[in-house]
Amino acid sequence: MPNLKSIRDRIQSVKNTKKITEAMRLVAAAKVRRAQEQVTAARPFADRLVQVLYGLQSRLKFEEANLPLLRQREVKTVGLLVISGDRGLCGGYNASIIKRAELRVKELQAEGKEVRLTVVGRKATQYFQRRDYDIDATYVGLEQVPTAAEASQISDKLLSLFLSDSVDRVELVYTKFVSLISSKPVVQTLLPLDIQGLEATDDEIFRLIVRDGDFTVEREKVQSSVEQLPQDMLFEQDPVQILDALLPLYLTNQILRSLQESAASELAARMTAMNNASENASSLITTLTLSYNKARQAAITQELLEVVAGASALN
């Protein structure tokens, strides 16, 4: 017969665990909202930066601008920037990005290229260090809501590697945010920069809202503000010099955007994982309560039978 006290203790333990997972889900939701506010606040600067680059593109041909960040060269060594998380309890988020990065490393090595890693996040750092990968730099303990200063620090490191010819191309592996239950590891080339195709396109803003007591993501179409600069606008400096100054800012903005998408993906994965854990805890509590009631009823029945048997023996 199951021990009633052990079942009660287990039910209480599962209830305590459920409180923790529910609290973690709500904390992740609050951080997702902070990340949304940060993305919205940074949007005007990003739009203005792209608008200026788009205007410069109309004034000169980028392929004719002899700038180091635009120069294509023979690729012998590839620098791979991998963005993961510092914490666990977020489902398969870290495992999927590490798996995609490892696959990309094998693809590049199969092409005869050397690969050097720059890793963001404790999980990927520990994974690749244990396997003796060639790592140039690691960044751990970053803010869960990424900042421009952190993106600038990573950008400076990648620029130094590229400009010193330590790497001939820089690629980025990060998690693209799709929805609360979906994210996608993607590979993107960062350096050399390709600023072609800056024509105005529609974009989307994701907002986390509560509907009928549940968290959901609402998409809002946003018309890009990228437009041609006035034709009579005069540049005090040579457009090539302006371009040379703006390209590092553009790179930093690209890295910041990838950090924000990765953070949103991680938080959404943690929300989903903690929500599933809470639901599983509720289901387990129901099962344990049923087992407890059955065991308690069996104990009562056994006691009644003993009382009846004792009374019969006395008669």
Side-chain angles (χ1 to χ4, degrees), residues 91-162:
Y93 168 78
N94 289 308
S96 63
I97 196 65
I98 290 173
K99 182 179 179 181
R100 185 66 185 91
E102 250 191 337
L103 178 61
R104 185 56 181 163
V105 169
K106 292 178 180 178
E107 291 173 350
L108 292 170
Q109 290 176 341
E111 297 173 3
K113 297 178 177 62
E114 181 185 351
V115 180
R116 301 171 61 173
L117 299 180
T118 299
V119 186
V120 176
R122 185 172 286 107
K123 292 298 182 180
T125 297
Q126 293 173 346
Y127 181 89
F128 290 117
Q129 283 179 341
R130 285 196 298 264
R131 288 158 180 79
D132 297 325
Y133 279 79
D134 187 1
I135 301 177
D136 284 314
T138 61
Y139 300 89
V140 298
L142 302 185
E143 294 290 335
Q144 197 149 27
V145 179
T147 64
E150 294 168 341
S152 179
Q153 183 182 6
I154 298 170
S155 174
D156 290 344
K157 178 61 178 179
L158 297 177
L159 283 172
S160 67
L161 290 172
F162 185 76

Side-chain angles (χ1 to χ4, degrees), residues 99-296:
K99 182 179 179 181
R100 185 66 185 91
E102 250 191 337
L103 178 61
R104 185 56 181 163
V105 169
K106 292 178 180 178
E107 291 173 350
L108 292 170
Q109 290 176 341
E111 297 173 3
K113 297 178 177 62
E114 181 185 351
V115 180
R116 301 171 61 173
L117 299 180
T118 299
V119 186
V120 176
R122 185 172 286 107
K123 292 298 182 180
T125 297
Q126 293 173 346
Y127 181 89
F128 290 117
Q129 283 179 341
R130 285 196 298 264
R131 288 158 180 79
D132 297 325
Y133 279 79
D134 187 1
I135 301 177
D136 284 314
T138 61
Y139 300 89
V140 298
L142 302 185
E143 294 290 335
Q144 197 149 27
V145 179
T147 64
E150 294 168 341
S152 179
Q153 183 182 6
I154 298 170
S155 174
D156 290 344
K157 178 61 178 179
L158 297 177
L159 283 172
S160 67
L161 290 172
F162 185 76
L163 295 176
S164 65
D165 292 339
S166 298
V167 298
D168 303 304
R169 188 171 73 214
V170 176
E171 294 184 356
L172 165 67
V173 183
Y174 75 104
T175 307
K176 184 175 180 60
F177 178 76
V178 179
S179 69
L180 285 179
I181 59 174
S182 178
S183 58
K184 180 182 179 182
V186 297
V187 179
Q188 173 184 333
T189 299
L190 286 180
L191 294 170
L193 288 169
D194 181 10
I195 319 296
Q196 304 298 326
L198 289 177
E199 60 276 0
T201 56
D202 289 340
D203 200 355
E204 286 184 332
I205 291 179
F206 296 92
R207 287 191 173 88
L208 180 65
I209 62 173
V210 177
R211 182 175 295 160
D212 298 329
D214 294 324
F215 289 111
T216 185
V217 168
E218 183 181 72
R219 289 176 170 83
E220 177 184 344
K221 287 286 185 180
V222 178
Q223 180 65 36
S224 174
S225 61
V226 177
E227 300 173 352
Q228 283 274 11
L229 294 177
Q231 291 299 321
D232 57 352
M233 177 176 288
L234 299 177
F235 294 101
E236 292 185 0
Q237 292 177 299
D238 182 2
V240 174
Q241 294 179 342
I242 299 175
L243 185 61
D244 190 28
L246 290 182
L247 287 179
L249 286 177
Y250 180 75
L251 175 63
T252 300
N253 185 69
Q254 292 288 93
I255 294 175
L256 177 60
R257 185 64 181 261
S258 64
L259 288 172
Q260 291 170 338
E261 293 235 7
S262 295
S265 299
E266 179 186 357
L267 292 170
R270 183 168 290 111
M271 281 180 58
T272 302
M274 293 301 99
N275 183 65
N276 292 338
S278 297
E279 291 178 353
N280 291 337
S282 298
S283 177
L284 183 56
I285 290 171
T286 300
T287 302
L288 289 173
T289 302
L290 181 60
S291 299
Y292 175 79
N293 290 336
K294 287 181 178 180
R296 183 169 175 272

